[in-house]
Amino acid sequence: MTTIGTVEELHATAREITGLSDFGPSDYLEGLKVVLAAYEREAGLTPDGARLIRDELCGILVARLFSEAGWRQYPDYAQNPVERPVFIIGLPRTGTTTLHRLLTADPANQGLELWLTYAPQPRPPRSTWPDNPVFRAVEQGVDGFFARQPDYRGIHDRTADGVEECWLLTRQSMLSAYFEFTGYVPSYSDWLAGQDWTEAYLRHRRNLQLIGLRDPGRRWVLKSSSHLPCLDALVAAYPDAMIIQTHRRPAGAVLGSACSMASRLAGGTSSTFQGAAIGPVLLDLAERTLARFAADRARHDPARFHDVEFAEFTADPLAVVAGIYRHLGWELPDDVRPAMAAVLAQDASLRSHRYDLADFGVSAQEADARLGALL
């Protein structure tokens, strides 16, 4: 059976999981219906794929329930400021993950821990996390994923208590490039291209206010490639946001790595979105989002942005971090450097990613021709 389930069934499951019933404003429903139809009609889902997508969509609805409950329970979240948040933005595989983890190794900064994206709430004391049933459920989910895809740790390691990408908050509005990065859903892609993301980013901000309620004064550092086509909406929600854009060349290396990543995320879920079918989809997505970001960036104050070159970052990561701190007007304490060095050591111990762009239906020459000027 490859049916995901109906909108009503997904909501019922989320209610059963949480014991909650308020999903908040109904503006997410259109996106849920569109992506559900795209998965059912276009994605070529396998039985395992249908089950995993059902779990994914239920997880999004569960997160909405937790957010709505948290805002009611902690109304003072609305007075919690989010000042000069930093967003790391670049294509997947351009160094964003390591850079994000380096910056959040500084205790003056805070990132978005994976488990709290599934159950937004004021961040509890870390010592209590292992006993939290939601934390344990997310931890089990992570373990299950790596059991299915054991070599994925060499591409992108993740843990329930580690910082992750903040598209996991915007997906509460059913607006997410993740769906088109990991499956063939062209009708959803067409729909998504015409959406206004402003309300999704305002909800994103409200979630940060809730999650950071017990950590006043810590600076938010976030990252996601999904911000590329949404700069205006991001700035509307965060008028003082600072943007770090990552760049990596040649284009073939970036696209090949991203295709390899997507193929493992989608592994076993589709009878069609695999191998040579992946490259053209991700090339179109990368070209579209990079072009949109370049056009939008040109209309904003250049002082808002700081550029990081992948080659320079890999050659001397801490020197690049020091440059970011100078640009932001932050102080980089000497006692933070050992924690950052530990991040780099762990990253090096896990890195084992091998790929060939040719396996994904796109040549390096085509990737460079279409993306080279945009990277």
Side-chain angles (χ1 to χ4, degrees):
M1 181 178 179
T2 57
T3 298
I4 297 169
T6 66
V7 169
E8 292 74 19
E9 288 167 344
L10 294 173
H11 282 81
T13 300
R15 291 190 192 97
E16 182 179 351
I17 289 170
T18 62
L20 301 169
S21 60
D22 183 4
F23 293 93
S26 61
D27 54 355
Y28 70 98
L29 284 173
E30 182 183 3
L32 175 57
K33 293 173 183 176
V34 172
V35 78
L36 188 59
Y39 274 125
E40 296 279 14
R41 298 170 187 168
E42 301 163 352
L45 293 180
T46 64
D48 280 348
R51 177 181 57 81
L52 290 170
I53 296 302
R54 181 168 56 250
D55 290 347
E56 183 85 18
L57 295 176
C58 283
I60 295 171
L61 295 175
V62 164
R64 283 190 66 93
L65 288 170
F66 275 114
S67 291
E68 296 293 335
W71 293 328
R72 287 193 305 274
Q73 184 176 356
Y74 303 97
D76 52 335
Y77 85 91
Q79 281 69 55
N80 183 28
V82 179
E83 297 176 342
R84 286 190 86 217
V86 174
F87 289 84
I88 302 169
I89 302 177
L91 286 183
R93 322 310 300 157
T94 59
T96 58
T97 296
T98 301
L99 180 57
H100 186 215
R101 291 174 180 172
L102 284 172
L103 295 182
T104 53
D106 183 344
N109 302 329
Q110 59 181 319
L112 186 64
E113 290 86 5
L114 177 62
W115 81 278
L116 290 174
T117 70
Y118 285 88
Q121 60 191 278
R123 187 183 289 112
R126 187 171 284 265
S127 61
T128 68
W129 294 6
D131 296 323
N132 187 296
V134 178
F135 178 85
R136 292 200 302 269
V138 174
E139 195 170 45
Q140 291 169 4
V142 171
D143 290 343
F145 172 79
F146 283 121
R148 296 190 302 272
Q149 296 286 351
D151 61 344
Y152 192 78
R153 285 195 190 276
I155 302 173
H156 180 78
D157 188 30
R158 68 174 95 168
T159 59
D161 63 351
V163 294
E164 259 302 333
E165 296 195 345
C166 58
W167 65 266
L168 291 157
L169 294 181
T170 53
R171 71 176 186 165
Q172 284 193 16
S173 302
M174 289 297 168
L175 303 180
S176 179
Y178 180 81
F179 298 130
E180 51 185 344
F181 184 76
T182 57
Y184 185 66
V185 287
S187 61
Y188 176 79
S189 296
D190 291 343
W191 176 84
L192 188 65
Q195 299 309 300
D196 181 347
W197 290 66
T198 303
E199 289 300 321
Y201 275 94
L202 291 174
R203 187 177 182 93
H204 181 286
R205 183 186 183 103
R206 293 177 68 200
N207 272 299
L208 292 190
Q209 290 175 289
L210 178 67
I211 293 167
L213 185 60
R214 293 175 178 152
D215 296 281
R218 294 179 69 198
R219 303 172 301 223
W220 277 104
V221 179
L222 304 137
K223 77 105 171 177
S224 178
S225 61
S226 65
H227 300 309
L228 284 167
C230 311
L231 181 61
D232 287 346
L234 186 157
V235 171
Y238 299 100
D240 57 352
M242 303 297 290
I243 311 296
I244 300 170
Q245 185 178 3
T246 56
H247 307 267
R248 181 181 178 184
R249 302 168 187 83
V254 180
L255 188 64
S257 185
C259 287
S260 176
M261 182 182 196
S263 71
R264 286 165 171 82
L265 287 171
T269 65
S270 171
S271 61
T272 56
F273 192 71
Q274 53 186 294
I278 293 177
V281 172
L282 295 198
L283 179 56
D284 288 346
L285 178 61
E287 185 177 35
R288 184 170 71 250
T289 57
L290 284 173
R292 174 68 180 271
F293 185 81
D296 291 345
R297 174 174 170 167
R299 294 184 284 100
H300 289 275
D301 182 358
R304 186 189 295 277
F305 300 90
H306 182 78
D307 294 290
V308 169
E309 295 289 343
F310 183 80
E312 295 176 5
F313 180 57
T314 54
D316 195 341
L318 294 185
V320 168
V321 167
I324 291 171
Y325 271 64
R326 285 192 298 272
H327 178 77
L328 296 173
W330 296 352
E331 179 183 351
L332 179 57
D334 289 339
D335 59 3
V336 169
R337 293 178 181 271
M340 292 184 173
V343 169
L344 293 173
Q346 182 180 32
D347 183 67
S349 70
L350 292 170
R351 194 181 300 133
S352 59
H353 191 192
R354 302 289 182 270
Y355 54 88
D356 186 342
L357 179 58
D359 293 338
F360 302 105
V362 175
S363 69
Q365 292 77 15
E366 183 181 6
D368 287 334
R370 292 177 57 180
L371 302 181
L374 297 170
L375 290 171

